[in-house]
Each structure stands twice: as C-alpha cells, then as structure tokens.
Amino acid sequence: MERLQKVIANSGYCSRRKAEDLISAGKVKVNGTVISELGFKVDGNDQIMVNNEILSREEKEYIILNKPRGVVTTTRDDKNRKTVLDLIKTNKRLYPVGRLDYDTTGALLLTNDGELTNLLIHPRNKVDKVYIAKVRGFFDKESSLKMSRGVIIDGVKTAKCFVKLKKFDKKSNSSLVEVVIHEGRNHQVKKMFNAVGFDVLKLKREMFAFLDVNGLKSGEYRYLSIKEVKQLYGLVK
Ligand code: URA
C-alpha cells in the first residue's frame, strides 16, 4: 500500500506537492469516491482518477542513452527530424530528462518517472553535469577563471562551476575543456564559452550525475539498475 499522493507523483502526472493540492481540492477519486485525505493509501488494484481522468500506472523505465549527433531531444519534432525516442525500442511513453542540443552527444537519461524527472531538473537539487567541449584556439587560464566564476548569459549570471583545460592540440589549433555545471539553461555551455570569446566546435556530455556512457556506442542505450535509480533518488530527496 502506498500513499495516494506518492502514487500520483510516481505516475508522472505531477509533483508530489501538486498531487497533495489536487487531493485537498477534492480532484482525486479512488474507485469512484472522492478522497481528500492526504494519508489515504492505495494498492495496485485501486482505480485512481485525477481531474476525472484515469491515472495510468505503468511500470517505470529508466534508460541512459549515448545520444548521437543529429537527433533532437524532444518527443516529436515539427521539422520531422529524428528524435531520441526513435532510437529506443519500448512500448512505454518515455521522455528525456532535460535537453541536449541537436549537435551535442553523450549521456541522456530517459524515463516515464515524472517525479524523478522533476526532482532531477529542479535547480534546487544541483545535479552535476560533466561536459567535454572542443573549442577553437588555445583556452587560456584567464578565460577559464572567468567562466568558473560565472559569466552573464541572457542577462543572468551563471553559477560558479568547475572548468579545466584537458588538452591543447597545436595542429588543429583547438582545446579540449572539461566543464561541470549543475544548472541546465538553454545552450548553457556553448553560451558560457561564447561569453569569454570562444566557439564550441563539438560538445559531449560525459556524465549526468554519476551516470556515464562508457561502453555504449553512439546511439546505444542501457537500462539503469535498481541500485542506480535509488542512487538518483538519493541525490535529490
Ligand atoms: N549546453 C549546451 O550548450 N548544449 C547542450 O546540449 C548542453 C549544454
């Protein structure tokens, strides 16, 4: 038996807080009866309706994908481009946790667990994302320091972050730079480099939290273990 608000949140319908509001507002029915008590418990056989819609209680799936270049991180694309979901064989309605750009590669988590998704992308939870960027030119110490202290993008300063030059290749005149951020603003890494005068030639997300894509070829994915799912919840609860 589980608390009604937990079951609603776990289904991906909304956050637990929102589920509590819906219950208190009398918007939730269990087996046809309005339940406005927050401690109410249900089991797998109970039919739950929220706002007069039956709640789908499908099994949760958690996937880490090594996203290739040239694929969009949405569930549907109006330009008919290939989406990350086209790469995954499942009958569940999965959705990506956050976004990677069309040309960005690497670690992307997909799940139908709305509660975990909400927690992982909430800025308060500061989940680390590790990126490796290939940038044009020599990435000097001063630019590195500036970036790590925070730069203004779209009028708002970025949080302090970890930045490290890994390698400079004289022949191609490019640098490989590791950046660890916990925010998730639109095109954040590219814009941070632009703010200190560098162009990103390639971008890969090496890790999302503690999850990497080692052993996965581009376009390949694997299911998370129960231990990994618990570890993710442990980070954000
Ligand atoms: N920052 C970017 O600029 N692009 C991404 O895809 C992810 C982070």
Side-chain angles (χ1 to χ4, degrees), residues 99-105 131 181 185-192 200 203 205:
R99 275 193 188 196
L100 289 179
D101 294 337
Y102 186 68
D103 58 353
T104 301
T105 60
Y131 291 91
I181 58 172
R185 291 163 58 184
N186 227 351
H187 312 301
Q188 177 157 349
V189 176
K190 291 175 187 167
K191 285 181 177 171
M192 285 168 73
V200 174
L203 187 61
R205 181 151 74 190

Side-chain angles (χ1 to χ4, degrees), residues 2-211:
E2 279 189 308
R3 285 171 160 253
L4 187 51
Q5 59 266 43
K6 183 171 179 193
V7 174
I8 296 171
N10 283 353
S11 77
Y13 188 88
C14 60
S15 68
R16 198 178 298 194
R17 172 85 62 83
K18 185 85 209 298
E20 289 174 355
D21 292 346
L22 288 166
I23 295 168
S24 302
K27 304 279 188 200
V28 178
K29 284 182 194 162
V30 176
N31 304 326
T33 307
V34 172
I35 300 292
S36 49
E37 171 203 334
L38 290 178
F40 197 84
K41 289 193 169 171
V42 290
D43 68 22
N45 297 320
D46 289 319
Q47 188 208 60
I48 301 170
M49 284 181 100
V50 183
N51 286 324
N52 289 322
E53 261 177 54
I54 294 177
L55 192 76
S56 138
R57 297 171 70 181
E58 65 180 13
E59 216 179 290
K60 297 293 174 271
E61 248 178 38
Y62 305 86
I63 280 173
I64 182 90
L65 166 73
N66 185 0
K67 178 191 172 295
R69 182 185 298 270
V71 178
V72 285
T73 311
T74 42
T75 45
R76 213 177 297 149
D77 185 52
D78 47 18
K79 292 184 206 142
N80 249 335
R81 292 175 297 183
K82 199 169 178 178
T83 79
V84 285
L85 289 172
D86 294 330
L87 300 169
I88 290 164
K89 289 195 189 83
T90 180
N91 55 6
K92 304 273 191 309
R93 271 208 317 173
L94 302 186
Y95 35 93
V97 178
R99 275 193 188 196
L100 289 179
D101 294 337
Y102 186 68
D103 58 353
T104 301
T105 60
L108 182 70
L109 185 64
L110 295 113
T111 182
N112 53 352
D113 181 340
E115 186 194 17
L116 184 63
T117 300
N118 289 334
L119 289 167
L120 288 172
I121 62 179
H122 198 291
R124 147 174 64 90
N125 288 320
K126 301 192 172 156
V127 174
D128 275 342
K129 274 82 70 175
V130 180
Y131 291 91
I132 295 283
K134 182 179 178 186
V135 302
R136 198 188 312 280
F138 176 69
F139 190 66
D140 57 287
K141 192 82 205 143
E142 198 184 322
S143 303
S144 175
L145 250 169
K146 263 195 215 162
M147 242 175 77
S148 66
R149 286 178 179 152
V151 287
I152 308 280
I153 62 173
D154 304 323
V156 180
K157 195 170 174 180
T158 57
K160 286 193 181 66
C161 67
F162 178 86
V163 183
K164 187 175 184 212
L165 173 66
K166 303 287 275 186
K167 196 170 145 193
F168 171 63
D169 183 43
K170 234 177 173 177
K171 224 165 111 191
S172 61
N173 186 35
S174 63
S175 307
L176 281 186
V177 185
E178 181 179 332
V179 182
V180 186
I181 58 172
H182 60 250
E183 297 169 299
R185 291 163 58 184
N186 227 351
H187 312 301
Q188 177 157 349
V189 176
K190 291 175 187 167
K191 285 181 177 171
M192 285 168 73
F193 278 104
N194 291 161
V196 293
F198 285 85
D199 261 349
V200 174
L201 304 171
K202 270 188 182 173
L203 187 61
K204 178 176 184 188
R205 181 151 74 190
E206 294 253 304
M207 286 222 252
F208 180 89
F210 54 85
L211 297 166

